[in-house]
Each structure stands twice: as structure tokens, then as C-alpha cells.
Amino acid sequence: MTTLTPVEPRARFLDLIASEWLKLWSLRSTGWSLLLGTLAVVCLNLGTAWDHYRYWFQYDAEGRAGFVRNGMALGDAFTGNASMVLILCTAATGAVAVVGEYGSGLVRTTFAAVPARGSLMAAKLLVVAGVQSGFGALAAGLSFWSTQAVLAERGVGLPITHPGALRLVVASALLAPVCALAGAALGTLLRRSAVSVVGSVVLLLLLPSVLGDRRHLTAVLAHATPLHAWERLVAAGPAAVEPYPWTAGGAWLVYALWVLGAMVVAVVAVRHRDQ
């Protein structure tokens, strides 16, 4: 007599996404980190706009005209300091989303339940990217609305239809998932929370800050980083003279390549390394 062994159905990819979604939101730190990150980014941008509002009448006529002419209102909508905070928050969150399972040992149970490691990691990365895209959109959108509302009281606030405004909001919003996926890829490789977070800071913040644009090699390397790509996309006012200029299309391509590269690194690493 032949005994039939029941075979459990393979998990569908949508099931994996749903599982990773529940797993991410079951952590208290997820909601708090997103909330505090949004507040930090918006407050930094709003503080810069408030300074311009507060001291507006201390500028002379030429200074006020230069503020408008150089598109400084767009600069207030999302500042360089805010971009660094956003990069730090999202990269750390992306790394912890992966490393947390290794630290707790939950990854063994996860891989036992779903042997298809590549699919599981792809689902996790999609969930991380989706959540961070929402976070980036909220932070960038609130920053633009609040800063321009403050500056509008001085008659210099800009609408979203102003040239370059929509691109600034979109570029700032998408910087979040790009850096989160980079952090997740590092977390997959390093598998330690502290080391992964430090590695993300070095890769995404420190390295771009030391790469100059006066020599061709360092300029190319700088252009290949998300931070410099963001700076190119949000640049307002008269274009600065650069020894090695590049295009906005090239900056968008950098975003896309970092997303693709991070996903490939994470999926390949989880397939070919032990638990």
C-alpha cells in the first residue's frame, strides 16, 4: 500500500510580501522611527525657512532680489542638512530590517519555512522600499508645503508648479528608498547592526563628502553617489560652473543603478551564504 506524503504548497510571492509587511510593522521601532524621522527632516527644513522669514526685513533690496533670483526658496524646501538626516535614518532602518532577524535568530525559522531565500529577500526589499518611499514622500511633501507657506508670508513662497519644484520633491522622496535599500544590502553582507549602520554612514555620507569635483576620477566617483545625485537634481538658480558637469538624467540613472545594485547584492548574498 502506497502512503502519500502531503506536500505543502509553495509560498506565493504575494504571501511573502504580506508576511514581510506584517513582520516589519510588528516592531514598535518601525512606527516610531518613521515618525521621528519625518519630524526631524521637516523641522530642519522649516527652521531654515523660518530664519529667512524672521530676518527678511534685515536684508537689503539686493539681498531680497537675489533670494528670488537664485531660487533660494526651493533651497529651503529641502536643505542639505535634512538630506543627511534622511539618509542616516533610512539607511539605518534598511540595515536593521535585515540584520534584526540575524541577531534574534529568527532568520533560521524563516529560512526553514521558506527555503527560497532569494524570493524571501526580494519580498523584504520590496516592503522596505515601499515603506521608505511613503516616508520620503511624506517628509518631502510636508517640507515643501510648510516651508513655502512660511515664505509666502513674505511674498516669496513658490507653488509646486514652479520650475524645478516637483523634481525637488520627487528626488528628495526617492532618496529615502534608495538609501534604505543600500543599507539593507550592507546588512545582508555584514549581518551586524552596529557595523552595518556605520558602514552605511561611511558609504552614503562620509565618502561623498571627501570626493571632490576638481579631478575627473573623483568627480565621476562623486557623481555615482546618491547624495551627489540628489544635489544635482535639486539644484536651483543659475547653474554653477563645474569642471566636469553632468545631467539630471545621469543623476536619475544613479538612483536606478543603486536600487538595482542593492537588490542584486542582497539576493545573491543571501543565496550563497550560510545562515
Side-chain angles (χ1 to χ4, degrees):
M1 181 176 179
T2 303
T3 303
L4 298 178
T5 303
V7 178
E8 295 186 4
R10 295 180 59 184
R12 296 177 300 176
F13 191 68
L14 289 179
D15 295 332
L16 297 180
I17 291 178
S19 173
E20 293 299 327
W21 176 268
L22 293 174
K23 192 184 302 181
L24 181 65
W25 287 105
S26 66
L27 301 174
R28 289 185 179 180
S29 60
T30 299
W32 281 109
S33 63
L34 293 175
L35 175 61
L36 295 177
T38 301
L39 290 175
V41 170
V42 173
C43 287
L44 280 171
N45 295 320
L46 188 57
T48 302
W50 175 255
D51 282 342
H52 285 135
Y53 167 85
R54 183 180 180 184
Y55 298 108
W56 182 254
F57 293 111
Q58 296 185 16
Y59 306 143
D60 56 19
E62 178 57 29
R64 297 176 196 173
F67 184 93
V68 176
R69 182 174 59 251
N70 295 326
M72 294 181 65
L74 283 184
D76 288 357
F78 213 95
T79 64
N81 289 336
S83 72
M84 292 182 183
V85 171
L86 182 140
I87 289 173
L88 179 60
C89 291
T90 55
T93 302
V96 171
V98 173
V99 177
E101 286 197 70
Y102 285 97
S104 64
L106 179 62
V107 68
R108 297 183 179 87
T109 303
T110 302
F111 287 156
V114 185
R117 297 185 180 186
S119 298
L120 185 65
M121 179 57 66
K124 182 184 291 292
L125 294 178
L126 286 177
V127 169
V128 169
V131 170
Q132 292 300 325
S133 294
F135 160 71
L138 181 62
L142 285 177
S143 293
F144 183 85
W145 172 79
S146 59
T147 55
Q148 301 314 301
V150 168
L151 294 174
E153 296 299 316
R154 299 302 189 211
V156 293
L158 300 175
I160 193 66
T161 54
H162 184 82
L166 181 59
R167 187 172 72 180
L168 178 142
V169 173
V170 173
S172 301
L174 292 181
L175 183 63
V178 170
C179 295
L181 290 177
L186 282 176
T188 308
L189 292 173
L190 302 177
R191 300 188 178 185
R192 288 181 174 82
S193 297
V195 178
S196 300
V197 172
V198 172
S200 299
V201 172
V202 172
L203 179 64
L204 298 171
L205 288 177
L206 295 185
L207 182 60
S209 67
V210 301
L211 292 173
D213 59 357
R214 296 300 173 184
R215 296 184 179 181
H216 182 264
L217 177 59
T218 56
V220 170
L221 292 175
H223 293 168
T225 62
L227 179 59
H228 282 268
W230 173 82
E231 290 174 346
R232 174 62 184 84
L233 291 169
V234 304
V241 178
E242 299 180 1
Y244 304 100
W246 59 318
T247 65
W252 288 122
L253 180 61
V254 169
Y255 270 23
L257 291 178
W258 272 79
V259 169
L260 179 61
M263 296 192 74
V264 169
V265 167
V267 170
V268 170
V270 80
R271 280 179 173 177
H272 292 87
R273 294 183 62 182
D274 294 334
Q275 296 180 9

